[in-house]
Amino acid sequence: MKKTLGCGGQMRSIGRLYVEHNDVRGRNLGSGKFGSALRNEGYCVTLLHRDGYLADGSPPNKSILASVRASGAPRPPYAYNGPMVAMREVHPEDYADIQLSDFRHLMDYLITYASTDVRESVPDLQYRAPTVVRGVKICCDGEIKLHASEPFVSIDVRRSTRTNLSSIQGESNSPISALLGIPLNFWKDPSAEFHVNPPGWDATQWASSNQNVAFMMMRTNPSDPSWGWAPLYWNHDIGNVWVVREDGQDLDVREVAMMCHFARFKLQRMFEDTIDSKDSTLQDRKRVLKYITRENMRAFWEETGGGEAVRSHDDLSD
């Protein structure tokens, strides 16, 4: 007989959601539900639910909504409808008494599942989950003007967020960052806040404009006809952008500020000269590439006033 979870005499097939890892706290509950069964170690928290709860008219689960709010999140990023039962599963369909700590693991999972949220880094935080890396938010014009944000903000990015963003947007690698020795992955902030000019926006640029990002995405293949141009995806409707190191190490906000400053105010002009000049040759383009070094980046940063130059160029309050 097929197992069911229903009410009022209506029979519904059961689905299962398995929580084997707490990405928020960097905790493995076991070595994998099925693998651990052979060694009698580890466990998972299993959430039983109606198999078609998103389409069968089941109402939102108010207990889950209340628990998520009590955990500090306004709502889960994913819908959870109908009756649900959480159990501690130690072998396939072999159960033990659930513990209060399991409730914490379940709430962390429900809050972060399919979430693409990030939060600003806390500089003196003594502990971060090992699945969290420090990245940088490169703010768009709207963020800087309307929210008085710094152009570059340090953020904490969970592994689950990186995975979700990669599955939705793919991974965009900055060619300029690779030449500067620290390959970076870029993702657009999924929030649509600045993709339509908000009320009160009176600047000449779109609120989603983000030139720091666009110039970091300039193509660097000297034989490519699109040399020096950013792909359309990174040249229009950009918004805020989240950046992490390709190697998974923490990313310093100053490093990103230097790269963007170098690309935007030095390299862009050099690329432009080779594009506009009719006499430009392949060797001219290769000379531009040879110039893109960390030493030249740092020298330009110091020569132009570094951080003060960044803030003055991105001050859109006037």
Side-chain angles (χ1 to χ4, degrees), residues 4-17:
T4 60
L5 188 67
C7 61
Q10 188 175 10
M11 308 302 282
R12 316 263 181 125
S13 60
I14 290 181
R16 285 175 169 79
L17 183 154

Side-chain angles (χ1 to χ4, degrees), residues 221-238:
N221 181 348
S223 302
D224 192 331
S226 58
W227 154 270
W229 292 94
L232 181 61
Y233 181 78
W234 290 109
N235 205 16
H236 171 72
D237 201 23
I238 300 174

Side-chain angles (χ1 to χ4, degrees), residues 33-174:
K33 186 172 80 73
F34 297 104
S36 63
L38 300 176
R39 298 185 295 277
N40 195 29
E41 62 183 30
Y43 71 99
C44 71
V45 178
T46 302
L47 187 68
L48 306 180
H49 57 81
R50 291 175 177 171
D51 213 11
Y53 70 83
L54 290 176
D56 65 3
S58 296
N61 188 304
K62 294 183 179 180
S63 295
I64 286 181
L65 291 176
S67 298
V68 165
R69 292 192 191 102
S71 299
R75 67 185 65 84
Y78 192 75
Y80 298 97
N81 299 344
M84 297 189 176
V85 179
M87 306 179 73
R88 173 184 276 232
E89 188 166 352
V90 291
H91 300 95
E93 300 201 17
D94 190 8
Y95 301 93
D97 290 340
I98 198 164
Q99 300 180 13
L100 188 59
S101 59
D102 297 330
F103 181 76
R104 178 70 273 158
H105 295 316
L106 179 60
M107 286 301 104
D108 286 341
Y109 183 90
L110 297 181
I111 290 170
T112 59
Y113 177 74
S115 170
T116 53
D117 291 340
V118 300
R119 63 183 180 186
E120 289 192 21
S121 295
V122 179
D124 299 324
L125 189 65
Q126 294 183 352
Y127 172 79
R128 281 186 299 139
T131 55
V132 173
V133 297
R134 188 155 288 159
V136 173
K137 177 169 72 172
I138 304 178
C139 297
C140 65
D141 289 358
E143 180 82 16
I144 294 169
K145 179 177 181 180
L146 297 181
H147 298 329
S149 174
E150 292 290 326
F152 306 96
V153 178
S154 185
I155 56 174
D156 288 339
V157 187
R158 294 187 302 268
R159 179 172 60 190
S160 59
T161 297
R162 303 194 299 273
T163 301
N164 290 332
L165 288 171
S166 295
S167 66
I168 297 169
Q169 300 183 19
E171 291 188 357
S172 292
N173 308 103
S174 162

